[in-house]
Amino acid sequence: MAVWNVWFILGAAVLGVLLAFVLSKGKKYTQKLNEQPYFYGWTLGIVALLTLVQQWTINQVWFVTGWDAYGAVQEAVSPGYYAYAYSYYPNNLAIVGIFRFLSRMFGKSDFYDAYLLIIHVGGLIVSLSCLLVVYAAKRMTGSNCVGYAVLALEGIFIILSPQCLIPYTDTYGMLAPALALFLYTAPLSRYVKAPAVTLVLVLGSFIKPNAIIVWIALVLVELFSHNWVMQLCSRTVSCVVLAVTILAGIGVGSLLGTQLKAYSVRTGTISDAELSMSAAHYLMMGWNEQGAGGYSYDDVEFSTSIEAYEERVDKDFEVFTDRIRKMGPGGVVRQLVRKTLSNYADGSGSWKKDGEFFQEIKGENGTLQALYGISDAEYVAPYEYGAQLLWALILCGLVLQWLAQDFTKASCVVNVALLGQSVFLLLFECRARYFIQFWPYFVLAAVLGWQALAKKFR
């Protein structure tokens, strides 16, 4: 472990103890803020202020990145620009459709105008997602102080993160898990809640497939946390009605997502299902020792060299099994450790680590650019140090949740979803960036952990 990482952990411990103290004594010092009428107004106002800062910052430091995010915007503005990219990766058809819809709705036919618009909208989505999780935190714990703590950490770590400058599924895909948790904690009938949450997550999975992990987490928690399922099943009509509403949510969500992808194809994006990458490709890539389970250009070349879909699936899976066999038990364990470090060691979410990251720098605020490291020069920016410190604080909070004696269903959903995402990345292609979609969940879980420690002080 690098020396600076040790200092980050120590710093996180100090911040965490201060946070636990505030959570423990917050009511004494912030009585007015803890009154119900003030909470929603204050939080909405703070998020609005942070969003204004975020949107201003975007204008000051924006840049064009040179990897898949660039391709999605270029394809949105110039349909068919990438002849085969969205045949290989049809999961990105939905985000291309969204980008194309936004650019056409606001009359942005120029690439740079569309790019700037899309990252502005992405920033708004991030802010809304954070606000929804703040409200969910308030409902889950009944504590305004927990809500404020979640907002404070989200504001610094997420809303003002430079990841908002990247027009891609990581930020746009954040809304579905956040909205699902907001609805799940809402005082609604299960006959309304179940289909609404299902619809949101199924539709969200078309933007970022990992959103479906939250739905799986919800189902598992509901099945194992209560005996209400058995009680419901004893009433045949109620059981059938609930099942029908859930199926309706799946149906409507799938229909909307399919139409979104169809819109991309209908308006010019080329898509050939025979060329698409299967799960076997990402499984193979996840067990490539050379890249620690991350993106591998060699693996992509191998898969794309096979023309027939079924043959490609078989060959990819064959390579995967061959890699596992050659690794042996010890090699598998080493690869899992390397992938875990790849996922969890970078608090910036793989900032500056994808492709030609700064293809064209457009913003002109040198101070903010230096803060975020927006430069072709190789150095660790102040933002990266700060993000790493906060990430250490968050990871410590996750561990401290074991001190909690009163897990709620909603907190179980959050933790099972995070566990599911971690397992997914251990099996398939991994990268710290793939956690961005779940950053609000990480913050919420961390605050719950530090709150559990705070209760020990009382």
Side-chain angles (χ1 to χ4, degrees), residues 7-181:
W7 285 109
F8 283 153
I9 292 173
L10 291 175
V14 172
L15 287 177
V17 170
L18 291 174
L19 177 59
F21 177 80
V22 171
L23 290 170
S24 176
K25 305 298 182 181
K27 282 192 175 182
K28 179 178 178 181
Y29 300 112
T30 57
Q31 287 183 351
K32 234 178 185 181
L33 294 181
N34 272 282
E35 294 175 9
Q36 182 70 14
Y38 291 93
F39 177 79
Y40 295 101
W42 273 101
T43 51
L44 181 61
I46 293 170
V47 169
L49 180 60
L50 287 169
T51 302
L52 287 174
V53 174
Q54 173 209 75
Q55 296 289 300
W56 175 80
T57 302
I58 287 173
N59 276 330
Q60 297 297 306
V61 299
W62 76 285
F63 61 91
V64 176
T65 193
W67 49 289
D68 293 357
Y70 169 89
V73 179
Q74 187 65 264
E75 178 66 26
V77 176
S78 305
Y81 185 88
Y82 289 98
Y84 298 107
Y86 299 99
S87 295
Y88 293 136
Y89 304 108
N91 54 303
N92 283 336
L93 282 171
I95 198 66
V96 169
I98 292 172
F99 289 174
R100 186 171 296 154
F101 176 78
L102 287 172
S103 62
R104 292 185 176 185
M105 182 173 68
F106 289 95
K108 305 295 183 180
S109 57
D110 176 73
F111 170 79
Y112 295 107
D113 291 343
Y115 194 102
L116 184 57
L117 166 70
I118 288 166
I119 55 178
H120 273 300
V121 174
L124 294 175
I125 289 173
V126 168
S127 295
L128 176 58
S129 301
C130 289
L131 182 63
L132 292 174
V133 171
V134 168
Y135 290 158
K138 155 70 176 174
R139 292 169 180 167
M140 289 166 59
T141 62
S143 168
N144 289 355
C145 285
V146 169
Y148 289 124
V150 170
L151 176 55
L153 196 49
E154 282 184 331
I156 301 171
F157 185 68
I158 305 176
I159 296 177
L160 299 182
S161 167
Q163 290 289 356
C164 294
L165 295 162
I166 306 299
Y168 206 45
T169 55
D170 303 299
T171 50
Y172 277 72
M174 192 182 288
L175 182 59
L179 181 55
L181 186 64

Side-chain angles (χ1 to χ4, degrees), residues 235-457:
R235 299 193 296 271
T236 306
V237 174
S238 298
C239 186
V240 170
V241 170
L242 185 62
V244 169
T245 59
I246 292 173
L247 289 174
I250 294 174
V252 175
S254 299
L255 176 63
L256 292 174
T258 302
Q259 288 302 308
L260 190 56
K261 294 174 76 170
Y263 169 75
S264 292
V265 176
R266 192 169 60 250
T267 52
T269 297
I270 299 169
S271 178
D272 182 353
E274 187 66 19
L275 298 178
S276 64
M277 298 291 192
S278 69
H281 165 76
Y282 298 101
L283 189 62
M284 172 187 71
M285 194 182 296
W287 290 90
N288 187 331
E289 289 186 281
Q290 293 181 353
Y295 178 83
S296 169
Y297 183 75
D298 290 339
D299 283 350
V300 172
E301 279 201 321
F302 172 78
S303 295
T304 54
S305 68
I306 304 168
E307 294 184 2
Y309 177 79
E310 293 297 335
E311 182 184 359
R312 188 182 313 117
V313 173
D314 292 340
K315 292 292 185 182
D316 286 346
F317 193 77
E318 184 180 316
V319 172
F320 158 69
T321 55
D322 187 56
R323 285 175 177 174
I324 294 293
R325 179 181 56 80
K326 289 180 178 178
M327 284 181 186
V332 168
V333 172
R334 282 193 298 272
Q335 182 75 344
L336 289 174
V337 171
R338 293 173 71 197
K339 295 186 75 172
T340 299
L341 291 175
S342 178
N343 292 330
Y344 280 97
D346 186 355
S348 71
S350 303
W351 177 243
K352 302 193 297 186
K353 293 181 175 65
D354 282 290
E356 186 184 352
F357 203 81
F358 300 116
Q359 179 169 298
E360 190 175 353
I361 297 174
K362 306 294 287 185
E364 299 179 352
N365 190 313
T367 302
L368 289 176
Q369 287 172 339
L371 173 67
Y372 289 127
I374 300 174
S375 167
D376 292 327
E378 294 284 341
Y379 71 98
V380 180
Y383 157 74
E384 294 175 85
Y385 285 110
Q388 197 73 359
L389 175 61
L390 293 177
W391 186 238
L393 174 71
I394 290 167
L395 295 182
C396 290
L398 290 179
V399 175
L400 287 171
Q401 280 189 99
W402 293 106
L403 295 173
Q405 303 295 321
D406 52 349
F407 280 99
T408 64
K409 285 199 301 179
S411 65
C412 287
V413 168
V414 169
N415 283 281
V416 172
L418 294 180
L419 176 62
Q421 175 70 349
S422 297
V423 171
F424 180 88
L425 295 181
L426 285 178
L427 291 174
F428 298 94
E429 179 194 356
C430 68
R431 178 156 291 200
R433 177 169 61 81
Y434 299 150
F435 275 147
I436 293 175
Q437 179 185 22
F438 290 96
W439 269 358
Y441 277 26
F442 274 104
V443 169
L444 172 56
V447 171
L448 293 178
W450 288 107
Q451 183 197 31
L453 179 63
K455 289 181 179 179
K456 300 295 181 182
F457 292 160

